[in-house]
């Protein structure tokens, strides 16, 4: 927003988030692609030369970029920097219009295919499109895909389909290379190829674009959560990029298993995740991929529904075949055992005596709040919202332990209490605790219309400070989305 429109520092702090950084970096990357690297570098060199040893405004930056190109940079800035939301780009694949000139033959047979990209939104985009075929080399394994062609196109175009030579590819990927900030929707045949061949795509960035597409489709109710889990179970065992494995497992566990599937379907979702992680652990027994093994171990702990394996690891101080348990893994296991009702205060106290560090105190607070008993929840709630002596770190740890999917019998009465208690807490202790309360103490697993309505009414409370309001708006949007995904999945 315009700096003159920000009334105070509390409001200014609300604007530094993922939109500022992740989306900002993505918009800058798109600006380079849209202008072309040569013109972009010429524009910023002019900018630096004109304003060296001085200050410059956004308007100065846009003017300097505009001086190096024929493109309308001012219109780009208005559409990209002063509008909200996200565009959706959809691929439509077909045969060329017989009345149009044919494209050049790829291999002498005169075949060609046509791509039309439709846009739901208002921003201009310069994207790369990747065309992939099934690999002819059978030694590459089933589902392996090879890049045939990669080309750039502007969206929106001039209304004429892009004609490319050769037969229709098995997979056409919009935004291949992740040059723009937009959701992507593939044509039906390409999506079928993704479901069976995602792990066979050679470039990790392309795989990331497609995993993000799958995630967005789930969040928008266009892909059943169970299909995402099945795709993860099929392809993650062959994934070599650690960031992708971590990201997919985090979304599958934290959103799909914990929020998007119906409560009666959650045990099956957790079983799928545990089976997947067990497979990854088996595949890394030779010690060649310690990072992947650690990711698999962490997520196996979080997905476990039976305590036996976790108790064995904790008692022996190691995962069979490694790694040895450091304090982070020990507290992670003990927290999961607490959620399952498979440990008690005595075990938590013993672990804390062995690790009396700040991390140990946080782990103990998280474990105690996670115990599925009325007494444990009452004590945790009092510490969070009445006592006012918890540090920010201990507050966060206690809040992380309190709400657990599957513990609705002992946490249900606290859903409506959260809003008045959090509003009063924020007023007493200020923005930092307000942000922590909104992020970690929010009843995220109460996925129902009553919970959503209660939260919406709380937004009208005049005592709500800006830091808490911002977090509640975000959380209620996620809650609304989770409810819509559940409805779409069962409808």
């Amino acid at each position: 927003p315009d700096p003159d429109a920000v009334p105070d520092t509390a409001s200014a702090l609300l604007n530094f988030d993922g939109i500022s950084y992740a989306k900002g970096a993505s918009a800058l990357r798109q600006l380079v692609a849209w202008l072309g690297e040569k013109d972009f570098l010429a524009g910023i060199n002019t900018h630096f030369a004109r304003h060296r040893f001085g200050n410059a405004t956004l308007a100065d930056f846009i003017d300097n970029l505009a001086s190096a190109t024929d493109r309308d940079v001012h219109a780009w800035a208005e559409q990209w920097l002063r509008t909200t939301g996200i565009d959706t780009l959809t691929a439509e694949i077909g045969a060329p219009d017989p009345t149009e000139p044919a494209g050049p033959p790829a291999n002498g047979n005169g075949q060609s295919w046509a791509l039309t990209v439709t846009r739901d939104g208002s921003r201009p985009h310069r994207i790369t499109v990747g065309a992939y075929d099934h690999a002819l080399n059978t030694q590459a394994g089933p589902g392996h895909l090879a890049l045939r062609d990669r080309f750039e196109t502007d969206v929106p175009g001039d209304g004429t389909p892009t004609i490319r030579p050769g037969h229709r590819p098995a997979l056409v990927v919009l935004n291949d290379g992740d040059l723009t900030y937009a959701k992507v929707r593939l044509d039906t045949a390409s999506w079928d190829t993704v479901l069976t061949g995602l792990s066979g795509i050679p470039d990790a960035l392309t795989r990331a674009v497609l995993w993000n597409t799958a995630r967005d489709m789930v969040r928008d109710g266009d892909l059943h959560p169970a299909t995402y889990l099945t795709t993860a179970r099929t392809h993650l065992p062959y994934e070599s990029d650690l960031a992708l494995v971590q990201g997919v497992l985090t979304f599958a566990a934290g959103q799909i298993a914990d929020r998007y599937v119906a409560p009666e379907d959650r045990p099956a979702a957790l079983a799928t995740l545990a089976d997947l992680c067990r497979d990854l652990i088996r595949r890394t027994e030779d010690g060649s991929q310690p990072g992947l093994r650690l990711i698999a171990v962490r997520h196996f702990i979080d997905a476990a529904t039976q305590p036996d394996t976790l108790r064995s690891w904790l008692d022996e101080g190691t995962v069979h075949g490694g790694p040895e348990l450091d304090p982070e893994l020990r507290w992670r296991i003990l927290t999961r055992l607490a959620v399952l009702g498979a440990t008690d205060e005595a075990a938590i106290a013993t672990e804390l005596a062995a690790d009396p560090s700040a991390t140990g105190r946080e782990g103990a607070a998280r474990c105690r709040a996670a115990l599925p008993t009325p007494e444990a929840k009452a004590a945790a709630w009092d510490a969070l919202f009445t006592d006012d002596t918890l540090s920010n770190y201990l507050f966060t740890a206690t809040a992380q332990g309190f709400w657990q999917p599957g513990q609705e019998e002992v946490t249900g009465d606290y859903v409506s209490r959260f809003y008045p208690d959090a509003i009063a807490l924020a007023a007493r202790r200020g923005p930092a605790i307000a942000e922590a309360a909104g992020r970690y103490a929010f009843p995220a697993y109460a996925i129902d219309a009553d919970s959503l309505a209660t939260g919406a009414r709380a937004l009208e409370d005049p005592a709500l400070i800006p830091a808490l309001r911002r977090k509640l708006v975000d959380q209620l949007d996620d809650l609304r989305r989770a409810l819509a995904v559940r409805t779409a999945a069962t409808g």
Side-chain angles (χ1 to χ4, degrees):
D2 186 332
D4 294 334
V6 180
D8 51 42
T9 55
S11 298
L13 288 172
L14 302 180
N15 291 312
F16 292 96
D17 55 14
I19 293 177
S20 301
Y21 294 100
K23 184 178 178 180
S26 185
L28 187 60
R29 180 178 176 87
Q30 169 58 193
L31 178 58
V32 176
W34 185 78
L35 282 176
E37 186 173 337
K38 180 180 178 181
D39 287 351
F40 177 79
L41 291 176
I44 62 171
N45 284 333
T46 298
H47 183 71
F48 294 148
R50 287 178 177 174
H51 300 282
R52 60 182 177 178
F53 310 120
N55 294 325
T57 65
L58 175 61
D60 294 328
F61 180 65
I62 299 303
D63 287 342
N64 292 323
L65 289 178
S67 70
T69 181
D70 292 333
R71 291 205 167 205
D72 189 348
V73 184
H74 293 89
W76 186 95
E78 183 66 28
Q79 291 166 315
W80 271 88
L81 305 182
R82 300 189 183 281
T83 61
T84 59
I86 183 170
D87 292 359
T88 299
L89 309 181
T90 302
E92 298 177 2
I93 311 298
D97 187 335
T99 65
E100 297 290 335
N107 48 20
N109 59 17
Q111 289 183 332
S112 58
W113 57 282
L115 168 67
T116 301
V117 182
T118 60
R119 178 192 63 176
D120 180 10
S122 60
R123 297 188 178 109
H125 300 267
R126 181 74 174 173
I127 64 170
T128 298
V129 179
Y132 294 81
D133 293 323
H134 292 293
L136 297 179
N137 180 9
T138 56
Q139 293 181 349
H144 187 79
L145 294 158
L147 177 67
R148 179 212 298 181
D149 186 20
R150 186 174 278 147
F151 57 93
E152 293 187 347
T153 187
D154 283 313
V155 181
D158 59 7
T160 303
T162 300
I163 308 300
R164 303 300 294 182
H167 58 80
R168 188 220 185 281
L171 170 62
V172 177
V173 181
L174 300 185
N175 198 27
D176 199 357
D178 195 29
L179 296 181
T180 195
Y181 178 80
K183 294 181 183 179
V184 168
R185 293 293 184 267
L186 308 184
D187 64 282
T188 301
S190 290
W191 186 244
D192 289 342
T193 299
V194 169
L195 294 179
T196 58
L198 178 51
S199 56
I201 295 170
D203 186 68
L205 184 54
T206 302
R207 297 195 301 274
V209 168
L210 294 170
W211 277 116
N212 285 342
T213 297
R215 178 203 62 194
D216 289 339
M217 291 174 68
V218 173
R219 284 167 50 83
D220 290 343
D222 295 332
L223 180 69
H224 198 288
T227 302
Y228 186 98
L229 289 177
T230 300
T231 305
R233 180 67 187 92
T234 300
H235 294 290
L236 276 198
Y238 305 97
E239 180 53 61
S240 58
D241 189 280
L242 297 187
L244 281 179
V245 176
Q246 173 68 17
V248 172
L249 284 175
T250 298
F251 179 71
Q255 296 300 321
I256 290 183
D258 287 353
R259 304 192 72 188
Y260 288 171
V261 300
E264 61 270 20
D265 296 327
R266 186 167 184 268
L270 290 177
T272 297
L273 289 173
D275 186 53
L276 168 57
C277 293
R278 192 180 294 110
D279 190 3
L280 291 173
I281 292 171
R282 283 196 299 265
R283 290 171 184 264
T284 55
E285 288 178 345
D286 62 358
S288 62
Q289 301 179 77
L292 178 60
R293 186 173 181 84
L294 180 59
I295 290 170
V297 166
R298 285 172 171 163
H299 283 277
F300 177 84
I301 293 169
D302 296 345
T305 57
Q306 299 297 325
D308 295 348
T309 298
L310 301 187
R311 280 177 172 155
S312 173
W313 290 353
L314 196 61
D315 291 343
E316 297 177 20
T318 183
V319 177
H320 302 162
E324 294 186 2
L325 300 185
D326 60 8
E328 184 270 335
L329 285 177
R330 293 189 65 86
W331 283 114
R332 196 180 194 111
I333 289 174
L334 199 59
T335 298
R336 188 60 186 167
L337 291 175
V339 172
L340 297 175
T343 192
D344 55 24
E345 171 58 34
I348 297 170
T350 299
E351 193 69 29
L352 180 58
D355 177 24
S357 65
T359 300
R361 293 175 61 206
E362 292 167 35
R366 191 177 295 109
C367 288
R368 287 166 174 150
L371 290 168
T373 66
E375 295 79 11
K377 298 303 181 185
W381 196 264
D382 181 68
L384 288 169
F385 294 107
T386 304
D387 189 76
D388 283 357
T389 61
L390 290 181
S391 68
N392 291 10
Y393 288 109
L394 288 176
F395 182 95
T396 295
T398 303
Q400 288 171 329
F402 185 89
W403 298 106
Q404 300 291 334
Q407 292 186 352
E408 288 79 11
E409 288 189 5
V410 289
T411 60
D413 291 342
Y414 292 94
V415 175
S416 60
R417 290 179 57 181
F418 165 76
Y419 295 99
D421 287 0
I423 290 170
L425 175 74
R428 292 196 310 271
R429 300 193 62 184
I433 283 291
E435 198 275 342
R439 182 185 295 270
Y440 300 108
F442 181 84
Y445 306 119
I447 313 296
D448 57 65
D450 288 343
S451 178
L452 184 60
T454 300
R457 288 193 297 270
L459 292 180
E460 305 301 320
D461 193 322
L464 196 59
I465 70 171
L468 183 57
R469 175 182 293 277
R470 174 64 178 268
K471 294 309 302 180
L472 291 186
V473 167
D474 290 345
Q475 292 280 27
L476 290 169
D477 182 70
D478 286 341
L479 177 57
R480 188 177 295 107
R481 186 182 296 273
L483 186 58
V485 171
R486 283 192 181 182
T487 301
T490 58

